[in-house]
Amino acid sequence: MAFLKPVLCPVVCLCAWIITAAVTEDVPKAENVHWTSLDFKTILRWESKAMMGYTYTVLYSRAGADWIEHIDCMQLSEMECDMTNLLRPFNRTYTADIQTEHVEMDYNHDPEELTHTYSPEFNPYKQSNISAANFTVHIVNKRTVAVNITDPLTGIHENNKQLSIRDVFRKDLKYKISYYKSGSTGKKDIVSDSSVTEVPNLDTEEGYCFMVAAFIPSRPKSTQLGAWSKQLCVTGPRTFLHELSVGVWVGAVAILLVVLVIIIAVTVLCCRWCRRKRNDQVETPQALVPR
Ligand SMILES: *[C@@H]1O[C@H](CO)[C@@H](O)[C@H](O)[C@H]1NC(C)=O
Ligand SMILES: *[C@@H]1O[C@H](CO)[C@@H](O)[C@H](O)[C@H]1NC(C)=O
Ligand SMILES: *[C@@H]1O[C@H](CO)[C@@H](O)[C@H](O)[C@H]1NC(C)=O
Ligand SMILES: *[C@@H]1O[C@H](CO)[C@@H](O)[C@H](O)[C@H]1NC(C)=O
């Protein structure tokens, strides 16, 4: 059979090559690879035209460093992987590479030969979206309102503690506080370094409405501002003049008018009566004059 060897070998090789080529060429690539990240909970998602029979393995790398695999993101049958706990440290730029594997593929396959798609770059510290914060407001005095913001919690747990965005951003975290006087449209913004602060130079008898948003000036412009909170309004205790409603004012003016009319009427009547009386006194002596 030795004479067959030279013939068989190229045929076998050719067949093996065809099979490999067929497998890698037909394997659909991951498409539309994108990061979704809210409060540092970061999920990598993708799409694929593949039906059954394929799995995905995510490799990721910190700019310039080696590719890393993690058991949580290997041979996935779903088209997403939660990378919240893998992208450490936060303040680095990462790239992921999604490899599509045929279920029947030899796992020791050369990774270079696998069908794969790179993700866009992602830096959690600079790009994770920040949700709206809860906050309270209360009046300190006639001129000042205190704003107390609760830092939103992140998806990161460390030492059994769920970190807040303050734990992650520290000094880089500011808040933008936007407010306006009730009934006016002019909004004002202030930036606060801390989560508990006071807004000065108000006239609290008028009432004000407030909104807050996390603000990270060290980030690129497009991701500096977190989501705006809902609006909260306060009105200070009112002094006597403010207490009077429009109705009361109208009533008071009406009463004043009535009083004024009465005074004028009385004065006019009085004058007429006085004049008549004087005329009577002038006439009476005449009447006494004998004809
Ligand atoms: C952040 O939110 C914006 C607006 O909703 C969205 O377009 C963007 O994809 C989000 N970014 C991430 C990383 O989730
Ligand atoms: C993260 O990067 C920003 C911008 O490069 C820098 O201002 C900030 O100090 C860095 N923070 C940390 C914790 O490395
Ligand atoms: C701010 O609010 C938190 C929780 O609502 C509360 O524990 C804290 O004492 C408040 N701080 C101030 C200064 O009012
Ligand atoms: C704000 O408070 C509500 C109810 O107390 C809670 O469901 C929500 O998760 C809080 N939001 C943040 C960002 O902490």
Side-chain angles (χ1 to χ4, degrees):
M1 293 286 268
F3 70 95
L4 269 181
K5 222 174 163 192
V7 185
L8 213 53
C9 189
V11 171
V12 169
C13 286
L14 191 65
C15 288
W17 180 80
I18 288 169
I19 289 165
T20 317
V23 166
T24 47
E25 269 172 25
D26 285 341
V27 172
K29 275 162 103 64
E31 288 168 18
N32 188 19
V33 183
H34 58 281
W35 301 94
T36 318
S37 184
L38 182 64
D39 299 328
F40 289 89
K41 181 156 186 70
T42 303
I43 296 171
L44 183 65
R45 292 200 166 89
W46 59 93
E47 289 162 16
S48 170
K49 293 201 177 71
M51 294 296 170
M52 307 293 284
Y54 292 97
T55 57
Y56 306 91
T57 293
V58 178
L59 284 82
Y60 61 100
S61 136
R62 213 156 76 197
D66 292 339
W67 291 100
I68 309 168
E69 267 182 1
H70 191 276
I71 188 77
D72 290 347
C73 293
M74 280 166 74
Q75 292 186 284
L76 305 164
S77 47
E78 64 272 30
M79 282 179 264
E80 60 172 51
C81 189
D82 186 340
M83 315 243 342
T84 304
N85 297 315
L86 307 182
L87 307 186
R88 305 285 184 97
F90 311 121
N91 210 2
R92 297 287 188 281
T93 300
Y94 296 87
T95 311
D97 184 14
I98 298 160
Q99 301 180 336
T100 311
E101 308 130 336
H102 196 275
V103 175
E104 278 158 24
M105 203 180 273
D106 174 6
Y107 197 66
N108 296 320
H109 215 87
D110 182 357
E112 296 291 312
E113 279 178 27
L114 285 170
T115 302
H116 68 111
T117 311
Y118 291 119
S119 74
E121 291 188 334
F122 185 72
N123 179 324
Y125 196 87
K126 290 182 181 162
Q127 289 169 270
S128 187
N129 281 335
I130 305 300
S131 57
N134 282 331
F135 72 115
T136 58
V137 282
H138 69 264
I139 287 167
V140 178
N141 59 43
K142 272 182 81 126
R143 310 275 294 157
T144 316
V145 168
V147 177
N148 181 351
I149 302 165
T150 308
D151 302 316
L153 293 172
T154 67
I156 301 158
H157 294 257
E158 247 170 40
N159 306 322
N160 294 324
K161 179 179 175 252
Q162 189 174 3
L163 303 188
S164 72
I165 59 168
R166 174 70 69 191
D167 296 324
V168 175
F169 289 119
R170 299 168 196 271
K171 287 260 179 294
D172 280 352
L173 174 64
K174 326 269 177 204
Y175 281 98
K176 214 168 235 190
I177 301 172
S178 170
Y179 61 97
Y180 63 90
K181 199 185 259 195
S182 299
S184 102
T185 50
K187 286 201 178 187
K188 282 187 185 166
D189 276 353
I190 60 165
V191 172
S192 163
D193 286 346
S194 84
S195 309
V196 178
T197 189
E198 291 187 347
V199 181
N201 303 324
L202 304 178
D203 173 9
T204 57
E205 281 174 10
E206 293 289 344
Y208 283 84
C209 294
F210 297 82
M211 287 202 305
V212 303
F215 178 55
I216 305 119
S218 68
R219 283 180 160 196
K221 262 258 175 316
S222 60
T223 56
Q224 280 179 349
L225 203 59
W228 282 103
S229 67
K230 60 182 180 342
Q231 174 175 299
L232 280 185
C233 301
V234 279
T235 307
R238 294 176 154 226
T239 52
F240 176 69
L241 285 182
H242 276 101
E243 206 72 68
L244 300 180
S245 65
V246 175
V248 175
W249 277 111
V250 169
V253 169
I255 290 170
L256 270 179
L257 276 178
V258 169
V259 169
L260 208 67
V261 166
I262 290 173
I263 289 173
I264 291 169
V266 167
T267 313
V268 168
L269 285 179
C270 244
C271 285
R272 279 208 193 137
W273 183 76
C274 289
R275 209 180 304 136
R276 198 178 302 146
K277 203 156 184 206
R278 212 178 311 127
N279 286 350
D280 284 354
Q281 277 169 2
V282 174
E283 278 168 19
T284 314
Q286 279 176 353
L288 288 176
V289 175
R291 300 230 167 136

